Amino acid sequence: AVVLAGVASLVTWASLRPPPTPTREVTRFTIDIAREVGAGAELLPWGESLAVAPDGSRLAYLARDGQGSRRVYLRELDQFGSRPLPETDGSHSLFFSPDGRTLGFGGPDMTSTWRVPVAGGPPSELGQTDRSVSAFWGMDGRIFVNTRHGVWVLSASGGGAEALPSLRGKQVHQILPGGELLISDRMSHDDTIEIVSLESEERRSLIQAQANWARLLPTGRLIWATGGALLGVGLASGGGAPVGDPVLLLDGVEEQALSDNGTLVYAPSQGRGDNEIVWVDRAGRAIPVPGVRGRVAAPRLSPDGRRVAYAIQDGPASWDIWILALDRATRRRLTFNGRSAWPVWSPDGAWIA
């Protein structure tokens, strides 16, 4: 069965927990999507398809029912059963308002952003951006929308959207207290998670790591997701340099969401179409190549044998090309248009068609 798993506690890990911090009781639970939505239903973990309210009281998720209809479902965590939100067919990129009473989502055209009250009522459009992939709602009413090529900002009351030139090629992971943003690169060869102030344009690098999701906790710890793994590291006082090595918190995670009160909800990888790239020796033994997991297709080895280009699906009918450096097990994204597959290297390894 397709399930969601929840951990109702602040995300901590023993090796990094300072002794003075009181221990909170951890409550774990699972939500069976087939029981919640109906026979044949499945979760659609295609980037920000899970959202949990800031106070941890409710969960929104994107699912396809047994008849093939795709819409948003709302689940109050103190109640049984989920209910569909009307007029959310074909939506994506879920996010809550700071008070948890309104849900934002991307429209089926992939360029519009909408809001709908969780208590009931029709959705309303907030604005149009470039092709959107995720969004975050700030305390000041600004909504930051990550797109294929950068970040846009729009108002929660509507009135249009504008691109932020200073964040071209970046993606926002979190709006921090005081209005600073936790961001990382989308187009850089060397991925870095950093904090930026839009007012002063000051940037503070935290760690060099490839991340498709990241959060900075009130305890000063940084967690991020990459390749199906959830990792964490402690930071020096004031959001400084990492303290120690990153720690593996969870593995086999397909999608995750974290509330302000520490409720972590995640979808374990179910292997629906997931595969990996492997080396095969002369005896026929398959040896997995580390750093690659997901809906992977068309791997192509570079002429010098040091890199692999491959396509990976990150949304409905959305494919892009990534490059894996075999000697470092690090990867970077090459295309961002959602329509790229079947890579072919040039003879000198400098180009990909």
Side-chain angles (χ1 to χ4, degrees), residues 14-148:
S15 62
L16 297 178
R17 185 186 299 124
T21 302
T23 302
R24 293 179 55 185
E25 182 179 356
V26 177
T27 303
R28 293 182 172 87
F29 59 91
T30 60
I31 300 174
D32 190 320
I33 299 301
R35 290 188 177 183
E36 298 278 319
V37 178
E42 63 173 341
L43 184 73
L44 299 178
W46 284 329
E48 305 298 336
S49 60
L50 293 177
V52 61
D55 64 359
S57 63
R58 59 178 57 97
L59 166 73
Y61 59 90
L62 183 63
R64 180 189 290 123
D65 64 22
Q67 288 71 49
S69 297
R70 187 179 106 201
R71 59 175 61 91
V72 178
Y73 290 83
L74 191 71
R75 171 64 139 78
E76 303 290 342
L77 295 185
D78 62 352
Q79 300 177 17
F80 292 105
S82 301
R83 59 181 174 88
L85 289 181
E87 300 181 57
T88 58
D89 295 41
S91 58
H92 63 98
S93 304
L94 310 181
F95 59 100
F96 274 101
S97 62
D99 63 7
R101 298 177 181 176
T102 305
L103 182 72
F105 60 90
D109 58 1
M110 304 300 292
T111 59
S112 60
T113 300
W114 297 70
R115 59 178 289 173
V116 61
V118 298
S124 56
E125 185 176 354
L126 299 177
Q128 292 274 338
T129 65
D130 192 8
R131 185 184 176 100
S132 62
V133 294
S134 62
F136 299 88
W137 193 325
M139 295 292 292
D140 61 0
R142 290 187 297 176
I143 295 175
F144 293 89
V145 181
N146 291 323
T147 73
R148 292 287 180 178

Side-chain angles (χ1 to χ4, degrees), residues 25-353:
E25 182 179 356
V26 177
T27 303
R28 293 182 172 87
F29 59 91
T30 60
I31 300 174
D32 190 320
I33 299 301
R35 290 188 177 183
E36 298 278 319
V37 178
E42 63 173 341
L43 184 73
L44 299 178
W46 284 329
E48 305 298 336
S49 60
L50 293 177
V52 61
D55 64 359
S57 63
R58 59 178 57 97
L59 166 73
Y61 59 90
L62 183 63
R64 180 189 290 123
D65 64 22
Q67 288 71 49
S69 297
R70 187 179 106 201
R71 59 175 61 91
V72 178
Y73 290 83
L74 191 71
R75 171 64 139 78
E76 303 290 342
L77 295 185
D78 62 352
Q79 300 177 17
F80 292 105
S82 301
R83 59 181 174 88
L85 289 181
E87 300 181 57
T88 58
D89 295 41
S91 58
H92 63 98
S93 304
L94 310 181
F95 59 100
F96 274 101
S97 62
D99 63 7
R101 298 177 181 176
T102 305
L103 182 72
F105 60 90
D109 58 1
M110 304 300 292
T111 59
S112 60
T113 300
W114 297 70
R115 59 178 289 173
V116 61
V118 298
S124 56
E125 185 176 354
L126 299 177
Q128 292 274 338
T129 65
D130 192 8
R131 185 184 176 100
S132 62
V133 294
S134 62
F136 299 88
W137 193 325
M139 295 292 292
D140 61 0
R142 290 187 297 176
I143 295 175
F144 293 89
V145 181
N146 291 323
T147 73
R148 292 287 180 178
H149 300 100
V151 181
W152 292 56
V153 64
L154 51 81
S155 170
S157 58
E162 63 175 328
L164 298 177
S166 63
L167 295 182
R168 180 170 177 79
K170 305 292 184 179
Q171 58 181 334
V172 173
H173 293 292
Q174 185 182 8
I175 304 173
L176 301 173
E180 291 183 314
L181 304 176
L182 183 68
I183 67 171
S184 68
D185 296 322
R186 290 186 64 87
M187 300 181 182
S188 172
H189 291 210
D190 298 313
D191 296 296
T192 301
I193 302 175
E194 56 186 343
I195 295 174
V196 62
S197 167
L198 291 181
E199 284 69 26
S200 66
E201 297 189 358
E202 178 186 358
R203 296 173 184 263
R204 303 198 314 272
S205 296
L206 300 181
I207 192 172
Q208 188 172 349
Q210 194 279 327
N212 52 40
W213 180 93
R215 296 293 186 273
L216 184 60
L217 305 182
T219 56
R221 293 157 181 150
L222 179 70
I223 61 174
W224 69 96
T226 182
L230 194 62
L231 305 172
V233 70
L235 301 177
S237 178
V243 178
D245 295 325
V247 175
L248 177 65
L249 304 177
L250 288 171
D251 200 7
V253 177
E254 198 158 12
E255 186 78 19
Q256 63 283 311
L258 180 68
S259 73
D260 291 348
N261 78 339
T263 298
L264 173 68
V265 179
Y266 65 96
S269 177
Q270 300 294 317
R272 296 184 302 275
D274 287 5
N275 47 30
E276 58 187 356
I277 299 174
V278 301
W279 291 107
V280 179
D281 63 19
R282 294 180 183 274
R285 291 185 294 265
I287 305 171
V289 174
V292 180
R293 177 184 295 169
R295 298 172 178 87
V296 181
R300 296 292 184 270
L301 194 64
S302 64
D304 62 6
R306 299 175 59 188
R307 293 165 294 168
V308 174
Y310 59 93
I312 189 166
Q313 185 182 17
D314 59 359
S318 178
W319 290 83
D320 277 296
I321 295 173
W322 291 68
I323 297 176
L324 174 71
L326 294 171
D327 56 344
R328 293 175 295 171
T330 59
R331 60 177 187 156
R332 66 180 177 91
R333 190 170 185 164
L334 183 65
T335 67
F336 296 83
N337 57 22
R339 302 183 300 274
S340 300
W342 305 105
V344 177
W345 291 92
S346 62
D348 62 0
W351 300 86
I352 287 181

